[in-house]
C-alpha cells in the first residue's frame, strides 16, 4: 500500500505544474489618501495606493473583474486596466485593456472582467495601471508578479515574496483634469510634488511621513523586484553599503550583473539580488527621481524619496548616515543598460522591415509628433475597425498613426538621436523586443541583446526589433503618459487577416463601446 502511494505521488510530481485560474476583484473607487502627507482624492483599486498586489505562477490565467465605482468628477470617471508587460496572444488581444486601441473604457457603475492567460511560459515583474488618458497619475497602479517555480536563477537568492517588491512612482497633489488642462494651456509638462516608495513619501514642508521599512535578516539574500510606476519620473535606486545584482529586465532573466546604482524609466522593471551582508543596522535605500525642472514645483525634494533597509535586531529608527542621492562619484558603479546580457542568448533575427520614428515636440504646445503625426485616440478602437474589415492605412484616421505590417516578419524600429533632454521610455504592448541599440551606448548588439518591453529613446538613438508572429494592433507609445496624451504614440498593427481569424471577442467586450459612447462627456 505504502509503495503504491509513493508511486502515485511520484507520478503526480512528475506532471507539469497545474495552471490555475486566479480570480481577482478590483473595485475601482475614489478614496481619500495622503501618500506623502498631503490629503487628496485618488483613483484607486480597492481603496489603496498602490493597489492590491496581484500574484500568479507561470501559465496561470488571471481573471480580473473590474467594478467601476468612480464618482469624483475632478478625475476621469470611466476606466480601463492595462497589464503592463504581459505577453498577450492575438486571440486574447481584445482583453489587454488599451483604451481606443484594443477596447473601450468601462463606464461608471459598470463592471467588466478581463481574462488574461499568461502565455509563452512568461514570468517576472509586471504591473497594472489605468490605460485611459493620464488616469493612473491619480493613483490606479499596482504590482503584478508572475512567479517561476523553476527559476533558473533561484540559487542566487533566499527570499522572494510579497515583502520584496519595491514600487517607486511620481506623485502629484492636484488631480489630473486640472493638470491636463494646465499642460494643454502652457505646453509645460506637470512636475511631480513628490516620489513614493511602496506608497509613502515626503515633500518639502510636508509632515514627516514614516519612511517605508524593508526588513531583512543578516546573512540572507533577497530578490527585490523594482517597478517604476511613474507617469514621468526617472528613479535612481541604490542601497547604502550594499550592491545590487541585476537578474531581470522587464520579465526577461539576465546574466547576473552587479552594480550599486540603477536608473528605471517610467514603466521599467528590474529584479536585483541584495545580500544582507553588513553589520546589523539601518541603511538608506535611496530613490531620488528626476522629471522636469524642480524649480517649477517647490514641493519637490528628490532627496526625501527613500526607504529604510532594517536588519533584524537594529533599532526602530532612521539610519544615522546622511541622506544622499546615492554612491559618491568615486564609488559609483552604475548600470549601463547596454552592458546587460540575457541569461540565455537570443540573437535578434535579421530585419525584414525598417521603420524610422522621429519624435518632435511642437514648441510651446502640449503636442508631440511621431513622423509629423500627433496621435489622437480614435472614437472607434483600432481592433474594432480591424474586426470590421479595415485593410489599409486609408481605413484609419491619419492621427491614429497606425503602421500596417505583415504577420511573421521582423520589424526594426530606429529612433534617431533626439535632442530632447528627457529620455522617452518607449513601451510595446503585448510583446517584447530585442534592444539592439540602447540609448546608453553607441554599440549595436544583434548577437545577444537583452529583451524588454520599455526602453529609453534619447540623445544617442535607440534601435529595437520585434516579431509580428503574434499579430494584432499593439500600442507602441512613450510611457511618460503626459507625452502619450500629447500624441507620442503609434499603433503597430500586424497581420490584419490573422487578427480577424483569431480574435473572437465576448458579448461583454462588444458592449463596452456602445455603453461608453452613450455617456455624456463628463462621465467618460
Ligand atoms: Cu516621452
Amino acid at each position: 500500500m505504502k509503495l503504491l502511494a509513493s508511486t502515485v505521488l511520484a507520478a503526480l510530481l512528475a506532471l507539469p505544474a497545474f495552471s490555475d485560474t486566479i480570480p481577482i476583484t478590483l473595485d475601482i473607487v475614489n478614496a481619500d489618501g495622503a501618500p506623502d502627507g498631503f490629503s487628496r482624492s485618488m483613483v484607486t483599486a480597492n481603496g489603496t495606493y498602490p493597489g492590491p498586489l496581484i500574484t500568479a505562477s507561470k501559465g496561470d490565467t488571471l481573471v480580473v473583474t473590474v467594478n467601476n465605482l468612480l464618482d469624483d468628477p475632478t478625475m476621469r470617471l470611466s476606466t480601463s486596466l492595462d497589464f503592463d508587460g504581459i505577453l498577450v496572444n492575438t486571440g486574447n488581444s481584445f482583453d489587454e485593456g488599451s483604451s481606443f486601441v484594443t477596447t473601450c473604457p468601462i463606464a461608471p457603475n459598470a463592471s467588466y472582467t478581463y481574462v488574461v492567460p499568461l502565455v509563452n511560459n512568461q514570468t517576472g515583474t509586471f504591473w497594472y495601471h489605468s490605460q485611459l488618458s493620464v488616469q493612473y497619475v491619480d493613483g490606479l497602479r499596482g504590482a503584478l508578479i508572475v512567479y517561476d517555480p523553476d527559476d533558473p536563477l533561484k540559487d542566487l537568492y533566499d527570499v522572494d515574496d510579497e515583502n520584496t517588491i519595491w514600487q517607486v512612482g511620481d506623485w502629484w497633489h492636484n488631480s489630473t483634469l486640472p493638470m491636463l488642462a494646465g499642460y494643454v494651456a502652457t505646453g509645460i509638462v506637470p512636475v511631480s510634488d513628490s516620489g513614493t516608495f511602496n506608497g509613502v513619501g515626503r515633500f518639502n514642508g510636508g509632515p514627516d511621513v514614516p519612511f517605508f521599512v524593508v526588513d531583512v535578516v543578516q546573512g540572507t539574500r533577497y530578490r527585490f523586484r523594482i517597478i517604476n510606476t511613474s507617469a514621468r519620473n526617472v528613479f535612481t535606486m541604490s542601497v547604502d553599503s550594499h550592491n545590487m545584482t541585476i537578474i531581470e529586465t522587464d520579465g526577461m532573466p539576465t546574466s547576473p550583473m552587479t552594480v550599486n546604482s540603477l536608473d528605471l524609466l517610467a514603466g521599467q522593471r528590474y529584479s536585483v539580488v541584495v545580500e544582507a551582508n553588513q553589520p546589523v543596522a539601518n541603511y538608506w535605500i535611496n530613490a531620488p527621481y528626476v522629471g522636469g525642472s524642480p524649480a517649477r514645483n517647490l514641493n519637490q525634494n528628490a532627496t526625501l524619496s527613500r526607504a529604510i533597509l532594517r536588519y533584524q535586531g537594529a533599532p526602530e529608527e532612521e539610519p544615522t548616515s546622511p541622506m544622499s542621492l546615492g554612491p559618491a562619484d568615486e564609488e559609483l558603479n552604475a548600470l549601463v543598460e547596454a552592458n546587460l546580457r540575457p541569461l540565455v542568448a537570443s540573437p535578434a533575427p535579421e530585419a525584414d522591415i525598417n521603420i524610422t520614428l522621429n519624435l518632435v515636440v511642437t514648441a510651446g504646445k502640449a503636442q508631440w509628433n511621431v513622423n509629423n503625426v500627433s496621435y489622437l485616440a480614435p472614437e472607434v478602437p483600432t481592433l474594432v475597425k480591424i474586426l470590421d474589415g479595415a485593410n489599409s492605412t486609408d481605413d484609419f484616421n491619419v492621427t491614429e498613426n497606425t503602421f500596417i505590417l505583415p504577420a511573421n516578419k521582423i520589424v526594426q524600429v530606429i529612433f534617431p538621436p533626439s535632442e530632447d533632454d528627457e529620455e522617452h521610455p518607449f513601451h510595446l504592448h503585448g510583446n517584447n523586443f530585442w534592444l539592439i541599440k540602447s540609448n546608453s551606448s553607441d554599440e549595436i548588439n544583434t548577437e545577444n541583446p537583452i529583451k524588454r518591453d520599455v526602453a529609453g529613446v534619447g540623445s544617442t538613438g535607440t534601435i529595437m526589433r520585434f516579431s509580428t508572429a503574434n499579430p494584432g494592433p499593439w500600442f507602441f507609445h512613450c510611457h511618460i503618459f503626459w507625452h502619450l496624451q500629447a500624441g507620442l504614440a503609434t499603433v503597430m498593427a500586424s497581420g490584419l487577416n490573422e487578427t480577424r481569424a483569431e480574435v473572437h471577442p465576448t458579448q461583454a467586450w462588444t458592449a463596452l463601446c456602445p455603453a461608453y459612447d452613450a455617456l455624456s462627456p463628463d462621465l467618460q
Side-chain angles (χ1 to χ4, degrees):
M1 232 9 236
K2 261 186 181 167
L3 183 66
L4 181 62
S6 65
T7 308
V8 169
L9 185 62
L12 280 173
L13 288 173
L15 288 171
F18 293 100
S19 58
D20 289 326
T21 295
I22 313 285
I24 297 143
T25 300
L26 299 178
D27 288 338
I28 309 303
V29 293
N30 295 118
D32 288 333
D36 64 358
F38 179 92
S39 187
R40 58 161 291 182
S41 174
M42 309 182 291
V43 175
T44 70
N46 298 2
T48 66
Y49 169 74
L53 169 65
I54 298 177
T55 62
S57 273
K58 181 161 64 181
D60 289 350
T61 295
L62 305 174
V63 179
V64 184
T65 297
V66 171
N67 300 314
N68 181 357
L69 305 171
L70 296 172
D71 59 6
D72 181 342
T74 68
M75 295 167 283
R76 289 294 288 265
L77 292 175
S78 293
T79 196
S80 173
L81 273 196
D82 173 51
F83 306 92
D84 212 294
I86 294 294
L87 301 174
V88 180
N89 280 351
T90 308
N92 307 117
S93 59
F94 68 93
D95 258 352
E96 72 88 52
S98 293
S99 291
F100 311 113
V101 180
T102 54
T103 191
C104 279
I106 305 165
N109 298 310
S111 296
Y112 182 77
T113 300
Y114 298 98
V115 178
V116 185
L118 300 170
V119 298
N120 289 25
N121 289 321
Q122 188 181 30
T123 60
T125 305
F126 309 96
W127 60 300
Y128 61 92
H129 61 77
S130 165
Q131 183 97 29
L132 172 63
S133 182
V134 290
Q135 189 182 49
Y136 87 73
V137 170
D138 289 316
L140 182 43
R141 336 170 187 177
L144 193 179
I145 311 296
V146 182
Y147 292 104
D148 183 356
D150 312 308
D151 182 2
L153 292 163
K154 68 183 170 192
D155 288 347
L156 295 184
Y157 56 87
D158 306 303
V159 181
D160 173 26
D161 61 19
E162 67 278 11
N163 297 313
T164 60
I165 298 163
W166 296 355
Q167 295 180 67
V168 291
D170 41 26
W171 189 247
W172 278 266
H173 293 170
N174 206 348
S175 56
T176 44
L177 291 185
M179 283 199 290
L180 203 49
Y183 177 31
V184 168
T186 63
I188 298 168
V189 180
V191 173
S192 77
D193 291 282
S194 63
T196 54
F197 187 112
N198 287 353
V200 293
R202 293 184 186 183
F203 64 97
N204 268 337
D208 288 344
V209 175
F211 290 117
F212 189 88
V213 175
V214 177
D215 290 306
V216 296
V217 174
Q218 192 183 42
T220 306
R221 300 163 305 166
Y222 295 84
R223 176 180 186 156
F224 291 116
R225 295 170 179 271
I226 314 175
I227 308 169
N228 183 354
T229 65
S230 290
R232 180 175 197 185
N233 294 359
V234 183
F235 278 76
T236 301
M237 308 298 298
S238 61
V239 186
D240 283 0
S241 307
H242 293 76
N243 283 323
M244 300 178 288
T245 300
I246 297 169
I247 59 170
E248 177 203 350
T249 54
D250 300 351
M252 295 301 293
T254 66
S255 185
M257 191 170 95
T258 300
V259 299
N260 63 12
S261 172
L262 82 159
D263 286 350
L264 293 94
L265 305 179
Q268 287 186 323
R269 296 91 59 201
Y270 287 97
S271 279
V272 299
V273 175
V274 176
E275 183 174 4
N277 56 7
Q278 295 298 304
V280 170
N282 290 292
Y283 298 87
W284 288 121
I285 301 170
N286 310 298
Y289 54 82
V290 174
S293 167
R296 294 196 188 279
N297 189 338
L298 299 181
N299 285 334
Q300 190 179 101
N301 183 344
T303 306
L304 297 177
S305 179
R306 57 187 54 253
I308 297 169
L309 187 78
R310 175 166 295 152
Y311 279 59
Q312 188 181 65
E316 292 190 8
E317 58 190 33
E318 292 181 3
T320 50
S321 54
M323 292 184 185
S324 78
L325 297 176
D329 283 352
E330 58 273 22
E331 295 164 0
L332 186 62
N333 175 23
L335 167 66
V336 176
E337 185 189 42
N339 293 345
L340 281 169
R341 294 290 174 264
L343 184 64
V344 180
S346 158
E350 287 300 310
D352 302 303
I353 296 163
N354 275 282
I355 296 174
T356 299
L357 298 180
N358 279 293
L359 315 183
V360 177
V361 68
T362 304
K365 282 193 160 182
Q367 186 183 65
W368 275 94
N369 307 282
V370 181
N371 297 354
N372 299 316
V373 176
S374 185
Y375 179 83
L376 187 65
E379 287 184 14
V380 178
T382 315
L383 181 59
V384 174
K385 290 182 183 173
I386 293 171
L387 296 180
D388 286 348
N391 255 327
S392 74
T393 6
D394 294 343
D395 295 325
F396 300 93
N397 305 329
V398 170
T399 51
E400 288 180 74
N401 220 354
T402 295
F403 290 77
I404 296 179
L405 303 164
N408 300 309
K409 298 291 180 192
I410 299 296
V411 178
Q412 173 163 277
V413 179
I414 300 168
F415 292 93
S418 87
E419 284 174 15
D420 192 43
D421 55 7
E422 200 161 7
E423 216 175 328
H424 300 284
F426 256 74
H427 172 53
L428 180 63
H429 280 236
N431 299 270
N432 51 25
F433 48 76
W434 291 270
L435 181 61
I436 68 168
K437 189 196 167 299
S438 161
N439 189 45
S440 65
S441 158
D442 288 330
E443 178 201 5
I444 289 185
N445 174 10
T446 58
E447 285 308 304
N448 53 0
I450 55 165
K451 293 185 85 173
R452 63 185 321 164
D453 57 73
V454 189
V457 174
S459 58
T460 79
T462 300
I463 305 175
M464 312 161 172
R465 288 182 192 167
F466 67 91
S467 164
T468 62
N470 182 45
W474 304 115
F475 211 13
F476 185 47
H477 61 83
C478 179
H479 223 297
I480 295 177
F481 261 48
W482 304 104
H483 290 170
L484 165 56
Q485 198 57 28
L488 203 48
T490 69
V491 177
M492 295 292 160
S494 52
L496 302 189
N497 286 329
E498 291 82 352
T499 303
R500 276 187 280 276
E502 289 182 39
V503 176
H504 305 290
T506 58
Q507 281 287 319
W509 179 84
T510 306
L512 283 170
C513 284
Y516 179 82
D517 294 342
L519 296 170
S520 62
D522 56 320
L523 294 176
Q524 287 188 333

